[in-house]
Amino acid sequence: MRITDAQVFVGGPKKNYVTLKIMTDQGVYGLGDATLNTRETLPAMYLRDYLIPAIIGMDPRRSEDIWQFLYRGAYYRRGPIAMAAYGAIDTALWDIKAKLAGMPLYQLFGGKSREAAMVYAHATGADLEDLMDSIAYYVQEGYRAIRVQCGIPGMPTTSYGVSDKRGDTRNFITDYTGVRPRTEIWDTDKYLRFMPDALAAIRDRFGPELHILHDVHHRLLPREAAEFAKAVEPMRPYWLEDPTPAEDQDALRLIRQHSTAPIAIGEVFNSIWECNKLIENELIDFIRVGVTYAGGITHVKRIVDLAGLHHVRTGFHGAPSHSPLSMAAQAHLNAWAPNFGIQEYLVLGTPECDALFPSEHHVTDGMMYVSDEPGLGVDFDESEAARYEYEPGSHPVVRLEDGTMWNY
Ligand code: KDG
Ligand code: MG
């Protein structure tokens, strides 16, 4: 069996999904996702110019060897662009393998460990009252776990993931008006004065059972993160995400020394070599990598197994930039992983998105049900894809009030 060709498509309904389709001489094809949000053309170019020509003629069933060929063969290893490109190839090869076996992908991992996987939704509010309404909406929709992000009083702009318009619960991460980013202003003191009380009010209003998650989005220094984690511990958050940038990993010990609040990190990691210290030293509770830019199923599965040895559970990244293909790959991993924790999930199911990526994966009452179709269980409609073009977008950048650059 041989790979005969592969194509890359960039575009989608209000998204720049990077979709790879690998064709074989037996008519079976595989699909993968290389959507690196706001930098989408780079993995697409890497695939088209370097990787596709190199894999044509290879046996698609040898997914491990092809992964090693891509990773070891590049010489300049890792990085999000390369790992997104390898990930798309790897996911497409697993799709082919499972289609050949006539089985849903999770069966190849070892079968289901659960009937459905808990997901968390995103609630956002311009202020606390607005956030309470947003949380109430998701509770009533059946979600058991909700990430809560709130405008901070006195801050001149909104902070991460929040709209400045009341009642607006769209996700504010990517701005598709060009590559020049807008600026958010950040003030740690105002955040630290407000957020613990806000989390206490949320716990008070929604009771003990709701899983409350919060994304600090790399804004705090390690000592501040320790102070914050200690302050919110009594509210029993499900997790605090990215309390501090994880470049200085030893600094995370400070949080552990002061608080038992669960810590989730890893959405910007693209290899096991960024996670292994945090996992082996048990400095985190949830690993947040995504199949899209952490080298695909082969590599993420390796990370999941390492995490399982150290009581670290999965909480795969599921921001809106992930296409239904990588979300499906994660749905299969979530169905299998003995150390599954939770899955981030934003409603993808617009009619346009469903038409582009037909599938039977679905979320009901806050639980994700994996498709039983052979392979990933997601198809790709090329005639629909022809409707979309790449639209340049950007994340915000963050500055302190005096103009100093800060971490987005
Ligand atoms: O592209 C950047 C987003 O994926 C990121 O800001 C989202 O932090 C994020 C999350 O937890 O989903
Ligand atoms: Mg995050």
Side-chain angles (χ1 to χ4, degrees), residues 37 147 160 173 215 217 241 267 288 317 319 344 395 408:
N37 199 23
R147 187 188 85 164
Y160 164 74
I173 294 172
D215 192 346
H217 223 256
E241 180 181 339
E267 69 178 45
R288 292 271 294 139
H317 195 215
E344 181 178 24
H395 295 133
Y408 169 63

Side-chain angles (χ1 to χ4, degrees), residues 36-38 120 122 147 160-161 171-174 215 217-218 239 241-242 267-268 288 293 317-322 344 346 395 408:
L36 188 61
N37 199 23
T38 74
Y120 70 90
H122 284 196
R147 187 188 85 164
Y160 164 74
N171 196 280
F172 290 87
I173 294 172
T174 311
D215 192 346
H217 223 256
H218 315 114
W239 79 31
E241 180 181 339
D242 289 330
E267 69 178 45
V268 300
R288 292 271 294 139
Y293 17 77
H317 195 215
S321 54
H322 294 265
E344 181 178 24
L346 283 104
H395 295 133
Y408 169 63

Side-chain angles (χ1 to χ4, degrees), residues 79-352:
I81 298 164
M83 294 298 269
Y86 308 162
I89 293 177
D90 183 71
T91 303
L93 298 182
W94 277 97
D95 189 23
I96 292 170
K97 199 189 300 291
K99 283 174 177 162
L100 290 173
M103 290 180 189
L105 193 52
Y106 65 79
Q107 292 293 11
L108 274 57
F109 303 152
K112 275 189 190 175
S113 300
R114 57 197 56 79
E115 293 314 313
M118 183 167 67
V119 304
Y120 70 90
H122 284 196
T124 80
D127 57 28
L128 187 54
E129 197 191 329
D130 197 27
L131 175 60
M132 294 288 194
D133 291 346
S134 177
I135 300 170
Y137 166 78
Y138 286 108
V139 167
Q140 176 250 316
E141 288 288 297
Y143 289 89
R144 304 145 202 222
I146 303 178
R147 187 188 85 164
V148 301
Q149 305 298 127
C150 193
I152 309 295
M155 211 108 95
T157 67
T158 55
S159 58
Y160 164 74
V162 172
S163 165
D164 51 7
K165 288 193 236 61
R166 294 179 58 85
D168 198 346
T169 52
R170 283 174 302 147
N171 196 280
F172 290 87
I173 294 172
T174 311
D175 190 350
Y176 289 101
T177 54
V179 295
R180 281 180 73 92
R182 68 175 196 277
T183 303
E184 284 181 0
I185 305 296
W186 176 255
D187 182 323
T188 297
D189 277 348
K190 291 189 176 96
Y191 173 80
L192 288 178
R193 280 200 302 271
F194 172 75
M195 207 59 213
D197 289 346
L199 290 171
I202 293 166
R203 174 58 78 213
D204 204 38
R205 160 98 182 260
F206 291 95
E209 286 186 13
L210 181 69
H211 295 309
I212 299 172
L213 296 80
H214 177 65
D215 192 346
V216 185
H217 223 256
H218 315 114
R219 299 294 159 83
L220 301 179
L221 301 174
R223 191 215 59 78
E224 295 160 349
E227 177 188 327
F228 185 64
K230 188 162 138 185
V232 304
E233 191 184 302
M235 282 63 106
R236 307 198 73 246
Y238 187 88
W239 79 31
L240 292 182
E241 180 181 339
D242 289 330
T244 184
E247 283 128 352
D248 177 7
Q249 301 197 338
D250 285 335
L252 284 153
R253 288 183 197 286
L254 202 57
I255 304 179
R256 280 291 201 232
Q257 282 158 4
H258 293 275
S259 173
T260 57
I263 304 298
I265 290 187
E267 69 178 45
V268 300
F269 293 172
N270 52 74
S271 84
I272 200 166
W273 303 107
E274 285 161 293
C275 316
N276 62 336
K277 229 168 118 185
L278 289 181
I279 292 172
E280 286 160 2
N281 292 320
E282 300 178 6
L283 295 177
I284 57 173
D285 301 279
F286 294 91
I287 182 70
R288 292 271 294 139
V289 288
V291 161
T292 316
Y293 17 77
I297 293 167
T298 297
H299 197 64
V300 166
K301 198 166 169 302
R302 225 154 246 152
I303 294 172
V304 172
D305 280 332
L306 176 67
L309 301 179
H310 294 278
H311 326 287
V312 174
R313 289 185 285 160
T314 62
F316 295 140
H317 195 215
S321 54
H322 294 265
S323 97
L325 289 166
S326 49
M327 288 302 285
Q330 293 182 173
H332 287 280
L333 287 167
N334 292 337
W336 153 76
N339 50 329
F340 167 75
I342 197 166
Q343 170 66 58
E344 181 178 24
Y345 173 77
L346 283 104
V347 181
L348 292 166
T350 61
E352 294 83 4

